[in-house]
Amino acid sequence: MRLGGVGASPGIAIARALVVVRRPLQAPYAVLTDEAQVAAEVERFNEAVAATEAELNAAKADLSGGLAEYAHIIDAHLLILRDNMISQRAASYISQRRINAEWALSLAVQEAQSAFQRIKDEYIRSRFADVDYVTNQVMRHLIGHQTDDIARIRDKVIVVAHDLSPADTAQMDLDWVLGFATDMGGPTSHTAIMAQARAIPAVVGCQRASRVVQNGDLIIIDGGEGLLIINPDEETLHLYRERQEAYELYSQEVLAQAGQDARTADGVRVHVVANIEMGAEAGGVAGYGAEGIGLYRTEFFYINKRQLPTEQELLEDFQDVARRMGDLPVTIRTLDIGGDKFAHSVDLAPEANPALGLRAIRFCLQERGLFKTQLRAILRASSMGRMRIMFPMISGLGELRKARAIVEDVMTELDHRGLAFDRQIKVGIMVEVPSAVMVADHLARHADFFSIGTNDLIQYALAIDRVNEYVAHLYQPLHPAVLRMIDRVVRAGHANGIPVAMCGEMAGDPRAVPLLLGLGLDELSMNAMTIPRVKQVARRTDLGLWRAVAQEALTLPTASDVAELINRELNDNFPDIFGAAASEKR
Ligand code: PEP
Ligand code: MG
């Protein structure tokens, strides 16, 4: 059986499925008739709690390397497990009401949920999710369900889930995970970005994969094509084993050339840089041929943290990145919280439409203290590296002026404190809101660079929620409206003498690269592991030809017309990489 989805991270994985069940478990109901039954039931409940505790402790002990950061999530889970509100209450319900352990636990959880709902503090209220998670683990033991214990994966598996949160993936030992398939999510979801960063094939938006696939099924995922195959026949298995081998060989070949410059066939230099989400990643990007950092998403410091980071913590991290990158540019994006990125350490009011709400620069202009702390750290780190500041979600010149004025204030403060920084630091913006595209000429006079964030630009331009799997098929980077926006931004930037980069996922799609270069982009920023492929394609691109292709694409009426044109040109000009014969092999 085959299920289609969205190819989120390329490559082919073949392995047994580990299905992560996150749907609520149905508690059975039973009445206990005598004291012996009650005692046995309490005992059974305590055993389930102890088993859950042992698993959590083991998961914590297994957190390795960069994942050690997440130990506090498991600590919180352990505290909840032992909290009287759940464990003691459930145990006492068993004896007082003479009901089975599952039913007693579900009553205790319901009561905890109503207590949480009454709490005013949004952060604490939202922590019911942790209570839910922990009690589900206990329930699973009681019901005798196959455990979904992702924290203790010790076999090579493909993880199949309805959805995965950063907390889920943080607990997995990714050395054992050969691939991901999720029902939810689009090409820019957390699972997609994390899988790409770790070079793990992934298919997201499969809609019903977690219901159709059974634990232990042999599955194939093709992260390039967006395909999940369940229990394939021998012939299919053989074909995909060959494709997998060819893909791996090809990736190695391309990786071997990653260190070379990306100069187009007609000699134009293209800058290919990396997107990172944690400072520690900076150490590995040069190995993939990155010529700098084009987007450092700094949300990591705020997500899953109870407290805001201090200036010193931020400074140390930014200095560390600067040190690792030497004289290469490091573009630090100021906090982009809100929308699909929420943080516990930051108090965000619940909003009906968070993607259109108090997000990113809007939030920072309101929370000046937090914003200034971040700017101070970036500026101070700029004395030892080529830092660039980038503001997310700028929608017009008013916001850019306000943000720049705050940078000036912070510079004055640092002067007073006698602290060094790079006074010439480049300050640029992400162009990811359609209004910014329309006033790009004004913005270009007040920004040192542009970086187009297609993940959001496409979402806002086409009115397609980027994390909603039901509309994932309508999320079309090649939509003529999107191409015209890119064209407009590039022209406005160049007319005002500033470089124009792209840092959305589109920049890392090798099939889109010749077109993007034809549209005039100067820099492409992406997950480091896709850099070698993108550089290879850029080196083979005849820019003169692709400028003409881009002009033609701008006149076409629909995304499928553009795709047809691009596919034809890729097939003719890169037959060994994108031609029909090549995709047969890969
Ligand atoms: C974008 O919107 O394209 C982008 C790069 O930023 P993020 O995915 O973090 O919103
Ligand atoms: Mg964005």
Side-chain angles (χ1 to χ4, degrees), residues 295 297 333 341 359 430 432 453-456 466 503-504:
L295 167 65
R297 292 181 165 102
R333 177 175 74 184
K341 312 175 182 91
R359 190 191 151 178
M430 291 196 61
E432 51 184 345
T454 45
N455 303 345
D456 277 311
R466 61 190 267 191
C503 62

Side-chain angles (χ1 to χ4, degrees), residues 2 16 29 33 52 128 130 138 171 258 268 354 430 486 498 538:
R2 290 173 180 238
R16 299 271 161 204
Y29 175 71
T33 48
T52 306
F128 181 73
D130 288 326
V138 179
Q171 289 180 44
V268 175
M430 291 196 61
I486 297 170
I498 63 167

Side-chain angles (χ1 to χ4, degrees), residues 63-79:
L63 284 180
S64 55
L67 299 182
E69 285 280 345
Y70 292 94
H72 67 279
I73 301 178
I74 301 181
D75 282 336
H77 290 168
L78 283 163
L79 280 176

